[in-house]
Amino acid sequence: MNETITQPNLSNAIQTAEDRLQTLLPSIYRGRTDEVQPVSMGSAPLAFDVNGNVQWDRMWGSFCDLAMAGGPPHKGKLLEPGTPESIAAEPVRYAEVCDEIARGVELAARLRVAPSDTPGWLRVPCSNDAMAGWLLRAITMENVSVRLDGDAILLPAGPAFRVEKEIKNVITVIAKTTHYWSGHLIRLQKLGIANLFYQLDNQAPLLQPTWKMSEDADVRKSIEHTLQDATGLRTTEHCYANWIGLDCGSVTSAISTMRRLVASNILCRREETAIFLPITATPQRDNERIARSITELLDHSA
């Protein structure tokens, strides 16, 4: 299913990443990603039944383009899970949030939701490793926290989550991404995605956040200096415990670079003109690879 589209004046690394993207993207985007704009359709209003429950399965007639394809990320800033401290302080409210997210995901995405052993996360089993891996990448680019757990993904939850905001965000993003996975990727292409993930993992492991709730300031500074020196990009002021931001200078450059990095087995997401790279479990070992990949894949044309 992979259709190679050779573009003139592209480096081998960029061309390879672009070819991989043709495998990852639903066929509706093949050859037309230049037409995709990072503009949101707007938020779908909540719909309620006679008992006052949100009808999560009757809210969307269509979805925005995937951020993976260059569309707008669902969230402008990263949606993060609740902290263990906040969950311990409000266990009843946290349970209510988890129940509502589970109900919504089952209605909107037709996926079962189970508790996770890790506070702040809900476990969503997928049909296979390829689906879980694809959803991990797609949801990351939508700026909603997500973790991989074998053939399942973990979605965020917290006692401060509101129905009309964070709960809706989680349900919408899983509904959106499963819509594209189930409705726009045929079986042969899914096999191609599984094969691509296998090849990438054999070449170099997927780089993803450690998801620690606290960070080592010295480690962060070391990573920032390494990335800045190697890429020439400045770090962003907005800090996350598990991510480091680099300003690409334009939305177009950030989108292209983000997508190429994800196609190179490095989780990445975008906030406006900045890309955010994961702080991994072994940052000293992985930073060189991240810096080299950014340098090779950075879009200088925008």
Side-chain angles (χ1 to χ4, degrees), residues 36-41 64-67 70-74 142 176 270:
V36 178
Q37 299 298 317
V39 179
S40 175
M41 297 169 49
C64 292
D65 284 311
L66 283 168
H74 176 66
E142 300 289 345
K176 172 182 179 178
R270 175 183 71 87

Side-chain angles (χ1 to χ4, degrees), residues 234-247:
R234 64 178 180 84
T235 55
T236 62
E237 295 181 358
H238 195 139
C239 291
Y240 297 92
N242 299 285
W243 301 90
I244 287 180
L246 293 175
D247 195 334

